[in-house]
Each structure stands twice: as C-alpha cells, then as structure tokens.
Amino acid sequence: MLIWAEWMHRNNMVLTFFTVFISYFSLTLILESVGLSNHLAPSLLLLPDLVLLFVAYRYWQPLSAFAFPLLAFGLSLALWSFSLPFEVIGQLLVHLTLTGLAYYFLRQIRIIRVQGKGVKMQALAYASVGAVFTLLGFGMAWSLESLFAIDRMPVFAHFLQVSAILLFCTEFLLVEKQAEQALWNKALLLYMIFSCASFLVILISPSSFFFIGLFFFIASRLVLNTKQFASYTLFIVLQFVLVLCGISYLNLPELTLNNAIELLVAVCLALFLLQTLLENERFQHSFEYSQMMLVTIDEQGRMVHASKGFLEVMSCTFDKLKDQLLSSYMSEESASQLQKSAAQGQSHFYLPEIRLKTFNQRTLSLSLFADVVDGKDKHAQTIISLQDISDKLMLTQALSEEKELLEVTLSSIGDGVICTDKQSRITYMNPVAEAVLAKLTKEVKGKPFSEVMPLFNEETLEPIDRVADNCMAQSCTLGLPELTCIKNHLGLVFAIQDSISPIYSKKGQVIGSVMVFQDVTESRMISKRMNHLAHHDSLTGLPNRLLLLDRLNQACKRADRNEHSFAVIFIDLDKFKNINDSLGHDAGDVLLKEVSHRLHKGLRSCDTVARMGGDEFVILVDSIRERAHIHTVIEKVLKTCSGEYELKGIQLNLTLSAGIAVYPDDGVTPELLMKHADTAMYRAKKINKSSYQFYNSKLDKEVEQKIEREAELVQGLKKGQFEPYFQAIVNAKSFALEKLEMLARWRKGDVIKGPHEFISVAEEAGLMNKVTLQLLDKAMTSLVRWVTVSTSLQLSVNLTADQIIDDEFFNDFEALLKQYQISAKNIELEITETSLVANLDEMRDALERLQDKGFSIAIDDFGTGYSSLTYLKYLKFNTLKIDKKFVDDLNFNSKEDDLAIVIINMAKSLGVSTVAEGVEYSEQAKRLAEAGCSQLQGYCFAKPMPIEGIGNMVELGTVMSQIHKKLI
C-alpha cells in the first residue's frame, strides 16, 4: 500500500490528465451514440469542464501551459479518428478554451487576494473577466457559424452560460477551508432546502432561478463558516449544471442571449459583492480583535466601537463603554485638548500626550492619533489610535538622569578619559587624566593630542604617534601595544593600558575620538614578577620545566645551525625522602637551596641548571665539541655537590646520581633527551651511589622489561595466580605452634616464583595492596578453620610502610576479617625497622590506632636498619624479630654474649617478645631458648608450605616429633 501511495503521489499529473481525457472522450462518444450531441452535449460537457477546472487547480499548476494544449490536441485527434462531426469537435475545443480561461482567472484572483490588493482590484478583475468571456464567446460563436453554418446566437448564449458557471465554480476552489470547523449544521440544511425549493421557479422563469440561487449564495456567507460555505457553493454549482442540462432535455424555456448575459453579469456582481462583504467583515474583525488600542467615536464623542487592546487596557467590556463619552475617561486637560482639536475641523490631528483613567483606577500616559472618516457627512466618525507612552516618558526621564549621571561618572571614574575633536585637538579630560598629566583641561584644551599625551614603548623607547588620527581614519576602536607608557611634563613615567575609539554624530559621521586609559604601572610590575614565577622555581629561583623546555628547543636549533652537540644531565639526590621525613621539610628546602647554589656556581654562563620538582635537577651543557668535556663537567658537579652538608646542627653526607643524554645521538627532541637522561639516572642509582651513567639503548630495553613485568603482574592478579605460603613459628621451649607467617608466592603454570622476583616490581607499580589482599582472601578461607582448632593461633602478615598508613587498604583488610568472622587478635602485622624510622611520628600514630583495634605489631629485620635505638621508646609494639644474620653469628665456643642474645635481653627490658628468624640447627634453637627467646622460626622446624601442606601441622599443634626429640 505504501508503494502504491508513493507511486500515486509521484504520478498524479499523468493520472489526472488521463482521467480528464477519458471523461471528455467518453461523454462525447456516448452523447453522439445516443443522438443527444445536437441539443444536450453542450450542457453536459459542463461536467467534465468542472472536473478539468478542479484537476488543473489541484495538480497542474506548474505545467498548466503545457497540459491544456496537449489535452485539446489529444481530444481532437481522438474524436476525429472516430469520425465525429467537426462541429462537435469545435464545441469541445471551445469548452476547453473557456475552462482554460477560467483556470487562468482563478489563479490571478487568488494572487490578488493573497497579496491583499483590495476590493477595487478584485472589482476590476471581475469586470475584466466578464468582458473577456463575452468577447471570446462571441468570437467563437461567430467562428462556428462561419465554419459549420450553426446559428451563432444560441451558441453564444450557451458559451456565456458555461462561462458564468465556470466563473462561479472558482469561488468554491478559492474558499479557504479550515479543518477544525464543523461541516454540517441546521443553517446549511435550511439553505439547501430553500435552494431545492427554488426549482419550482424554473417552470416560470429559468433566469429567475439563477438569480435566486445567487441571492442564497451571498446570504449564506453571513451565517455559514468557510467549510460549510464551500460545501454550499458546490451544491449550488451542481444545481446550476443540472438546470442547464434539464432545460435542454425537458424542453423547458431556454435562456435567451439576454438571459445569458444577465447571468454572467449577475455572477460577476455576486462574487464582487461577496468579496466586499468579506472585506468589511475582515476589517470589522481586525478592528475588534486588534491588540492595538483603537476606538471609534461619533460626532458627539461617544464611543461606537473599541478594539480588544483598548478594552484590555481599560479593564472592562465594551458594554460598559458603548455610547459613553471618551472624554469622560480623560483628565480635564486631555479632554479639553481633544475637544479643541476636534473643533478645528481637521481630518487628522495628533496629541503627543493625554491622560486616560481606567476602570481599575490606573492613569495612563498615551499619545493620540485621530482620523476623521467622511468629515463632510453629518454622521461622520473618528477613528482614534492610542499608544502607551509611559515607557517612553520613563525612558526620557531615565536619559535625563543618565546624562547627569554620566557627567558625575566621568568625573568619578577611576580610568583616565581624554576626548579630542576631528583635528585631534583636546576637548575634554576627566580628573584622573588631569592627575596623570599634571595639567587641567582648560590648560590643554585645543592643543594637539600628541603634545599633551606623548606615548612611547617601554622597552624600545620608540614614540607611538598619530593614535587619534589613525583611530578616526579607520573608524574603529584601536588598542595600543601592551608596553605603552606616558611621560608627563614633570618627567614622571606611567605605564598605561588603553584603547581609543571614534566618536560618531547622530548622522553616523566621525566627529572626534575618546581615549580611556588605566594606570597599570603597579600591575605591570606584578605581571613581570608573575611571568618570572611561571618560568622559575619558587624555592631555588632556578628555571623550571617550562623554561627548560624552551631553552632545550633553542639549543636544538643552535646545534643544528652551528653543527655542535649539547648534553642533558638529569640529577637526583640520593635518599632525599629520608632526610625530609627525619629532619622535616624545612630542612629539606634548605638543602635544595644549597645544592642549587653549588650547581649554578660550578657551571658556565651559557649553561642552564633547572629544578624539575622534588629533588630532581636538570643541567643543559651547551656547545660541546668533544665528549670528554661532558665527563669533566659531570665529575666537577658531583665533586662540588656531593659531600658534607650541615642541617639543623647535623652533619649529613649527600650523594647524587646523574644520567646523561647527548644531542643528537640520544635524541633530537627535548622530550626524548629528558626521558633518556632520566632513564640513565635511574640506572646510575641502581649501580652505585654518587655516580653517573650515559644513556644507551640497553636502558630502554630494561624499561620495556619492567613494563612487561608490571603487565604480567596485572594479568596474574586478574587470574588469581598469587598464593599464600605459610612458615611455622613455634614456642621456643614447648615447640607448640603459635604463629604462621604468610609468605607470597606467584604460581605461573608449573613455575612458582618467590617474593624477591615480583615484590619490588609490585611496589613500584602500585599493585602491592591488590597482591596482599588477594593473598589474605585465600589465607582467610583456611585460617577461619584453623582458629577453631587453636583459638590463640596468629597469622603474621608482612606489610609495607605505605600500607600501614593507608586507610583505604585497612578498610578492605578489616572487611575481609569481618567477612570471615576472624578477630583482629588473630592477626600480627610485621613491618621492617627501616620502614618505621623513615617517618617516625606518622608511623607511631598509625601503630597505636592498629593496636587499639586489636592487632599485634612486630618489628621485622631488627638490627639491620639505623644504628640509633632510641626510637624504640617512642613506639608501641609487641614483638621484635631477630634477623637471620644475627642467628647465624651465634658463637657456641665463647661465653661472650652474641648480638642475638643482646637483642633478647633488650626485648626483655622493653617487655616485648622475640622471634628468632632463620633457625636451621638444633644447637641454635637450644642456645636461643636458654637465652630466653620467646619463639623460633626456620627450616629447623618447617619450610614454607602451601595451605594443603601446613594443615596437618596446625591440627597437631606441634612440630614433628622427631625434631622435638632431637632438640631435647
């Protein structure tokens, strides 16, 4: 269906053409075959005429000039091929000609109405078409008489009848039908009944029937809507066609030539009268519903009509205003002005301001335009148009106040204002401009602008001339260069920021210029300072990354132009974080300043030293001819900057690590050179302290390998490849199992990797929290079962310093404990000694919070960190873990106390327990137990085992019996 509808839409021109063609052709053949062509054919051809008029108006408008001749030619050829009489073909062509003329008139009258050319133009159009139809009909009737010996008078009368009906039908097509209007009502039914009843008149006078129908046609427009009127018009057209056909068929009195002429004139007159009626109706409707304030008064000043806009302003209905004096709602002065103007007998008059009182007690200020209609008639009326000028009066008052305010503003404004005339001579200066120039307006008035306002560039000192002249010549606002200054006659210099604009008259002509300027001397100094800060480090005063990149770009260009090399040296202070954490950030800042001073002191003026942030510095060594020069520079830098520094009375030994990249061998862009120098610096840190490394491609491979290892870690986490292993910690005397230390393993297929292969990579990649939580999640599934066997069993978990102070990590940790319903008393947290002392205050607070939650704290690798043990009294912990190297150093042949025994005794004095790590021999275990060590851990008792292997030991609660016997 959709395809058929689309095809119909695209081909309606062709379909309608063949529809009309077949209508004419079929009707003509039928009439000829039944023998009615002589007397009935002309009238019946009105039916396809009407169809053709409708179709052409609806579908043929773009191609009508082509369609009508083609239709006439096709019909003539077809009828001729069927041997129809030429007089029949001639009458058919006359009908087509009349229909074409009616179609042309239909389009022209539509254009006249759309363009709103008025009733006179429509009257001229109807008169013209009536005359054209009459002359054309006479000419065609005379032609048929000459060609076929047909009496021209009946033919002429018939042509006039056809013309009248076609002309009348155009009104049906021109009526603008509104879809929302009702199609049927009682009034339409009554008119149709009356029209049908008028058929009786045909028996007496057919012409009277047509006049009665036209009368009903005009009268119906007063009570019917547009859709109903269009329907009624079509009904009358069909009546007229039936009557014309009936006259020929029923042998009723035919219309004479005079009757036909009267019918054509009556149709034209009826259509013209209808349009006049509609024009008056539209005017009345437009007047009454206009939003403008319109009112009509008679000679006595009484209101006859009022628009919707006027009634809304008056806040009442027209019933309250009808026949009331308009002047009664005006102020006395306004009423007097109106009466005086009316008495002068002018046909038009205007009152600029009147006062009108409304029903809601408002008083409006209005302007009044009056137009006397037909002033010579005693029934003359005056159309009055009112316009609210309250806003205009307020605007006038506001403009007056604004002018006064402008004068005050120009005198009070913080910017300087200078005005000139067209010849660039000073006409006005406000007080700010007078203060800057140290002269009054009266002293400089009439002097040239360049003499009063000498402008120059702050850097080049070049004068800036003809500012006002250029502004007026270009007729646009001009801004002056950023570094514009002015020097007054006292020698004082001011930095100004300004613009100058042309002044226009009401006619749009340039009559002068105005400059508005600000004293920006102080802000320009601040801007310079801000620019310096944007390109320099605020702490050391050295160039920052932004300025360094700019200088590196310039160095690349110079190196290409002069065919030399330059080096980028990336420097990092070793263990600077420890210094910051132990001595404070203020001490770290002092150290950075001293290092930057030494760096800058040991370089040439053409070289650049910049601070990248933190403890990182970059040196640009420019104009290098030989690579040996780089060695000389870096060794001098390391010698100068490494060594003793005194901070807060403490002597520190500082070392530096440096990485070097050379242009163009190691990179041709600043970003690449800095990246490679940074890579070389990290390589130097790993190899040796206070050393330097040149970049080579092998370092990039190391970085790539590191990235690959990090990616493998991420995949391992996703696949759950990290597994917990456990090593037993037993009571030193009874060998009862008291703790399990959780150790990390990474299972990749059949290969199991130890922590030394991935822990450092995980820490650098920021994945340590995820690895630890995955291990804990797997360990908890068994721990929840083991604590039912031994309620005092503790799981010892190794954590980094960052994890200890990471609230988000511990939230996840505690969520796991809650999920498996494991108490914090069954968890011991291990942290290395070196991690603790790095940030003592923060770690102390964190450990206290964890102990308050029930966790036990163990210090791992005790004795391998800082030599000072005074920090122990500041920390709260439960266990000291003795490092394996002290256990290995136990001396069984000497009575002297070993360090392990010393640590055990120190722990006793502190009231904390001890765990000896790396116990491999029974003699070690016996000696440590005799010294008072609390717990033992090592291969002597158990190797690290997975969950499946450690399960039996947990259930027995002790180590294997044979080991126990051996130790005894």
Side-chain angles (χ1 to χ4, degrees):
M1 291 300 293
L2 291 175
I3 297 175
W4 172 253
E6 178 67 16
W7 188 87
M8 287 289 291
H9 175 73
R10 293 178 179 272
N11 298 278
N12 52 25
M13 176 73 184
V14 177
L15 290 174
T16 54
F17 181 87
F18 280 108
T19 300
V20 173
F21 183 92
I22 294 171
S23 298
Y24 274 109
F25 184 72
S26 302
L27 183 60
T28 306
L29 287 179
I30 292 171
L31 293 176
E32 182 66 22
S33 63
V34 298
L36 299 177
S37 60
N38 292 331
H39 63 281
L40 191 57
S43 299
L44 287 178
L45 284 176
L46 263 174
L47 294 175
D49 288 345
L50 296 178
V51 173
L52 173 58
L53 185 62
F54 173 79
V55 166
Y57 183 73
R58 180 66 177 84
Y59 299 107
W60 294 1
Q61 291 195 30
L63 300 172
S64 58
F66 166 77
F68 275 100
L70 180 62
L71 180 64
F73 175 77
L75 283 171
S76 301
L77 186 62
L79 294 176
W80 175 79
S81 65
F82 277 81
S83 301
L84 265 67
F86 286 105
E87 57 267 25
V88 174
I89 298 175
Q91 288 191 13
L92 177 63
L93 293 177
V94 171
H95 273 261
L96 289 175
T97 304
L98 294 175
T99 306
L101 182 61
Y103 168 74
Y104 176 77
F105 166 74
L106 173 63
R107 293 188 60 180
Q108 295 303 313
I109 199 68
R110 181 176 179 274
I111 293 172
I112 291 172
R113 292 185 184 179
V114 169
Q115 294 179 351
K117 294 187 177 180
V119 178
K120 294 181 180 180
M121 182 60 72
Q122 293 188 50
L124 180 60
Y126 284 118
S128 300
V129 76
V132 170
F133 273 126
T134 303
L135 294 174
L136 183 61
F138 178 79
M140 288 187 293
W142 181 82
S143 299
L144 289 175
E145 182 182 35
S146 301
L147 294 174
F148 307 113
I150 300 175
D151 187 7
R152 68 172 178 269
M153 289 305 172
V155 175
F156 183 31
H158 171 70
F159 289 164
L160 293 179
Q161 295 167 26
V162 172
S163 301
I165 299 303
L166 291 174
L167 185 62
F168 187 67
C169 184
T170 59
E171 185 60 30
F172 163 73
L173 297 176
L174 288 172
V175 173
E176 296 180 359
K177 310 163 192 68
Q178 299 182 11
E180 66 275 6
Q181 293 180 341
L183 179 62
W184 191 263
N185 67 353
K186 293 181 180 180
L188 177 60
L189 178 61
L190 289 174
Y191 272 108
M192 288 185 173
I193 293 172
F194 290 152
S195 297
C196 292
S198 64
F199 273 113
L200 298 175
V201 182
I202 299 174
L203 300 174
I204 303 172
S205 172
S207 61
S208 299
F209 165 77
F210 290 107
F211 295 143
I212 293 173
L214 292 175
F215 172 76
F216 285 153
F217 165 73
I218 297 174
S220 66
R221 189 61 186 91
L222 299 176
V223 295
L224 301 179
N225 62 39
T226 55
K227 185 181 286 187
Q228 294 166 354
F229 179 68
S231 302
Y232 183 64
T233 303
L234 180 61
F235 178 76
I236 294 178
V237 169
L238 294 177
Q239 270 192 325
F240 284 3
V241 173
L242 290 175
V243 169
L244 287 177
C245 295
I247 289 174
S248 302
Y249 185 72
L250 300 175
N251 295 321
L252 294 174
E254 294 187 359
L255 294 178
T256 64
L257 178 60
N258 292 335
N259 294 143
I261 295 174
E262 290 173 357
L263 177 60
L264 179 60
V265 172
V267 168
C268 292
L269 185 60
L271 294 179
F272 171 71
L273 291 176
L274 177 64
Q275 293 308 311
T276 304
L277 178 64
L278 292 178
E279 286 293 330
N280 291 332
E281 181 182 346
R282 282 194 288 268
F283 174 78
Q284 186 70 19
H285 182 275
S286 300
F287 184 92
E288 292 180 356
Y289 287 91
S290 174
Q291 294 297 324
M292 297 177 62
M293 290 184 284
L294 303 174
V295 62
T296 303
I297 61 174
D298 58 16
E299 289 183 325
Q300 286 74 37
R302 295 185 179 89
M303 287 178 276
V304 180
H305 300 288
S307 67
K308 182 180 179 181
F310 182 77
L311 296 177
E312 288 177 353
V313 170
M314 293 298 293
S315 303
C316 67
T317 62
F318 182 66
D319 293 338
K320 295 182 179 180
L321 296 177
K322 189 174 181 180
D323 296 330
Q324 298 294 318
L325 292 173
L326 177 62
S327 58
S328 62
Y329 296 96
M330 295 181 177
S331 64
E332 293 184 3
E333 182 181 357
S334 300
S336 175
Q337 291 178 356
L338 178 62
Q339 293 171 0
K340 183 178 180 180
S341 298
Q344 293 176 353
Q346 299 177 356
S347 59
H348 308 281
F349 59 87
Y350 166 68
L351 298 179
E353 183 180 356
I354 64 168
R355 299 283 181 172
L356 185 69
K357 298 178 182 178
T358 66
F359 277 80
N360 57 5
Q361 304 304 315
R362 291 171 55 202
T363 301
L364 302 177
S365 296
L366 308 171
S367 61
L368 182 146
F369 299 85
D371 190 1
V372 180
V373 181
D374 194 9
K376 298 179 180 180
D377 194 337
K378 63 179 181 179
H379 299 296
Q381 293 184 346
T382 302
I383 300 177
I384 294 177
S385 173
L386 301 169
Q387 184 177 1
D388 190 352
I389 60 171
S390 302
D391 293 341
K392 183 178 180 181
L393 293 176
M394 291 176 61
L395 180 61
T396 302
Q397 178 65 24
L399 288 174
S400 177
E401 294 175 356
E402 186 176 348
K403 181 179 179 182
E404 181 180 354
L405 178 63
L406 181 61
E407 294 178 355
V408 175
T409 301
L410 288 174
S411 300
S412 307
I413 194 172
D415 296 343
V417 179
I418 299 179
C419 298
T420 72
D421 59 15
K422 198 172 181 179
Q423 285 73 38
S424 298
R425 293 189 294 264
I426 302 296
T427 59
Y428 172 79
M429 292 196 310
N430 73 340
V432 174
E434 291 177 340
V436 171
L437 297 175
K439 285 191 176 183
L440 299 176
T441 301
K442 62 182 180 181
E443 296 180 81
V444 299
K445 192 170 185 179
K447 292 184 178 180
F449 177 87
S450 57
E451 178 184 336
V452 177
M453 195 80 172
L455 304 175
F456 64 93
N457 186 281
E458 183 178 3
E459 289 186 350
T460 64
L461 302 181
E462 291 291 330
I464 302 174
D465 297 327
R466 301 184 58 81
V467 176
D469 294 333
N470 292 337
C471 166
M472 290 184 285
Q474 299 177 27
S475 296
C476 65
T477 300
L478 299 179
L480 297 184
E482 184 179 355
L483 300 178
T484 300
C485 289
I486 180 177
K487 185 176 183 179
N488 64 19
H489 72 284
L490 299 178
L492 300 177
V493 177
F494 295 88
I496 62 171
Q497 176 181 313
D498 56 5
S499 63
I500 184 166
S501 303
I503 301 175
Y504 296 96
S505 65
K506 291 182 179 180
K507 296 180 180 179
Q509 298 176 344
V510 177
I511 58 174
S513 65
V514 55
M515 172 183 279
V516 180
F517 66 89
Q518 298 172 332
D519 180 3
V520 293
T521 306
E522 184 176 353
S523 63
R524 190 172 293 176
M525 292 176 62
I526 295 174
S527 177
K528 291 180 180 179
R529 175 62 179 164
M530 293 298 292
N531 184 61
H532 177 82
L533 292 176
H535 293 86
H536 291 78
D537 177 50
S538 59
L539 177 63
T540 62
L542 296 176
N544 60 9
R545 183 185 185 89
L546 185 64
L547 183 55
L548 175 64
L549 287 174
D550 179 67
R551 292 189 179 180
L552 283 173
N553 278 312
Q554 299 301 322
C556 291
K557 295 176 182 178
R558 282 196 304 273
D560 291 339
R561 184 170 57 252
N562 300 328
E563 297 182 354
H564 65 244
S565 300
F566 66 87
V568 177
I569 305 175
F570 214 103
I571 297 176
D572 184 83
L573 309 187
D574 297 329
K575 292 189 177 298
F576 179 73
K577 185 176 185 300
N578 294 339
I579 297 173
N580 248 350
D581 294 340
S582 58
L583 298 179
H585 289 277
D586 55 341
D589 291 345
V590 173
L591 178 61
L592 290 173
K593 289 180 181 179
E594 181 62 24
V595 171
S596 65
H597 175 70
R598 294 188 186 185
L599 285 172
H600 194 272
K601 186 178 179 181
L603 296 174
R604 302 170 300 175
S605 59
C606 64
D607 298 333
T608 298
V609 56
R611 184 186 175 210
M612 303 301 292
D615 60 338
E616 295 179 339
F617 296 85
V618 174
I619 298 175
L620 167 60
V621 184
D622 203 359
S623 301
I624 297 175
R625 297 293 179 183
E626 297 179 358
R627 198 177 185 91
H629 179 65
I630 303 175
H631 289 274
T632 303
V633 172
I634 189 60
E635 288 173 1
K636 179 180 178 181
V637 168
L638 292 178
K639 182 179 179 181
T640 304
C641 298
S642 300
E644 296 288 335
Y645 287 84
E646 183 176 345
L647 298 174
K648 293 186 175 180
I650 300 174
Q651 295 292 329
L652 292 179
N653 186 37
L654 182 68
T655 60
L656 283 70
S657 298
I660 305 165
V662 180
Y663 179 91
D665 299 338
D666 300 329
V668 293
T669 65
E671 293 78 10
L672 197 58
L673 287 169
M674 290 180 63
K675 175 187 174 185
H676 289 167
D678 188 33
T679 303
M681 184 270 294
Y682 276 105
R683 179 66 174 172
K685 271 186 174 293
K686 291 182 180 180
I687 293 176
N688 190 16
K689 304 299 181 185
S690 193
S691 66
Y692 61 91
Q693 287 286 314
F694 281 87
Y695 170 79
N696 59 64
S697 58
K698 182 180 179 181
L699 299 181
D700 277 343
K701 293 180 180 178
E702 292 180 359
V703 174
E704 291 175 1
Q705 292 172 358
K706 178 182 175 183
I707 294 173
E708 290 176 0
R709 289 196 296 270
E710 290 179 1
E712 290 177 355
L713 277 174
V714 173
Q715 291 299 318
L717 283 168
K718 290 182 179 179
K719 297 177 180 179
Q721 294 176 347
F722 294 94
E723 298 179 358
Y725 270 52
F726 303 91
Q727 188 173 28
I729 301 175
V730 301
N731 186 282
K733 295 181 178 180
S734 65
F735 304 109
L737 181 64
E738 295 182 344
K739 296 178 183 178
L740 292 173
E741 181 176 2
M742 185 182 75
L743 304 172
R745 296 291 186 270
W746 184 3
R747 183 182 295 276
K748 295 184 65 177
D750 297 332
V751 179
I752 298 177
K753 293 186 176 183
H756 62 281
E757 297 184 70
F758 63 86
I759 290 297
S760 61
V761 179
E763 288 181 349
E764 292 179 4
L767 299 172
M768 199 60 213
N769 286 358
K770 293 183 178 180
V771 172
T772 304
L773 290 171
Q774 189 172 107
L775 294 170
L776 286 170
D777 189 28
K778 293 183 177 181
M780 296 294 177
T781 57
S782 298
L783 182 62
V784 69
R785 184 175 69 255
W786 295 339
V787 295
T788 60
V789 177
S790 175
T791 57
S792 61
L793 181 66
Q794 284 189 316
L795 179 67
S796 185
V797 182
N798 290 282
L799 298 180
T800 65
D802 292 336
Q803 289 175 322
I804 289 290
I805 60 177
D806 189 343
D807 292 335
E808 184 177 351
F809 169 76
F810 264 95
N811 289 337
D812 296 336
F813 192 170
E814 290 173 325
L816 278 175
L817 294 178
K818 185 176 181 180
Q819 177 183 344
Y820 291 100
Q821 297 182 350
I822 296 175
S823 173
K825 294 180 180 179
N826 294 106
I827 304 296
E828 181 180 66
L829 306 177
E830 289 189 22
I831 182 169
T832 61
E833 178 187 17
T834 53
S835 299
L836 280 174
V837 298
N839 191 354
L840 202 57
D841 292 336
E842 190 172 7
M843 293 302 298
R844 179 179 60 190
D845 296 338
L847 294 180
E848 288 179 358
R849 288 195 301 271
L850 293 173
Q851 285 183 314
D852 292 339
K853 293 180 179 180
F855 293 100
S856 298
I857 305 298
I859 299 179
D860 197 10
D861 298 338
F862 181 76
T864 61
Y866 277 53
S867 59
S868 176
L869 300 178
T870 56
Y871 73 89
L872 292 176
K873 65 181 181 180
Y874 294 106
L875 298 175
K876 289 179 63 177
F877 57 96
N878 305 97
T879 303
L880 276 178
K881 298 194 72 173
I882 304 171
D883 191 74
K884 182 180 182 298
K885 72 177 183 178
F886 297 120
V887 175
D888 292 340
D889 291 341
L890 283 173
N891 189 351
F892 301 105
N893 299 322
S894 174
K895 294 183 179 179
E896 295 181 359
D897 289 341
D898 294 295
L899 286 176
I901 307 303
V902 172
I903 293 173
I904 293 172
N905 292 329
M906 184 180 64
K908 290 179 181 178
S909 66
L910 292 173
V912 297
S913 63
T914 53
V915 176
E917 294 181 302
V919 179
E920 297 182 359
Y921 307 106
S922 58
E923 292 82 2
Q924 292 174 332
K926 188 174 182 179
R927 176 75 183 275
L928 290 167
E930 291 174 352
C933 184
S934 306
Q935 294 166 330
L936 303 175
Q937 177 184 1
Y939 281 16
C940 181
F941 304 99
K943 294 182 179 181
M945 290 181 283
I947 292 176
E948 299 81 8
I950 203 71
N952 293 332
M953 185 178 292
V954 173
E955 293 176 1
L956 291 173
T958 59
V959 297
M960 296 170 60
S961 59
Q962 60 266 33
I963 298 177
H964 185 216
K965 290 177 181 179
K966 183 179 179 181
L967 291 172
I968 293 173

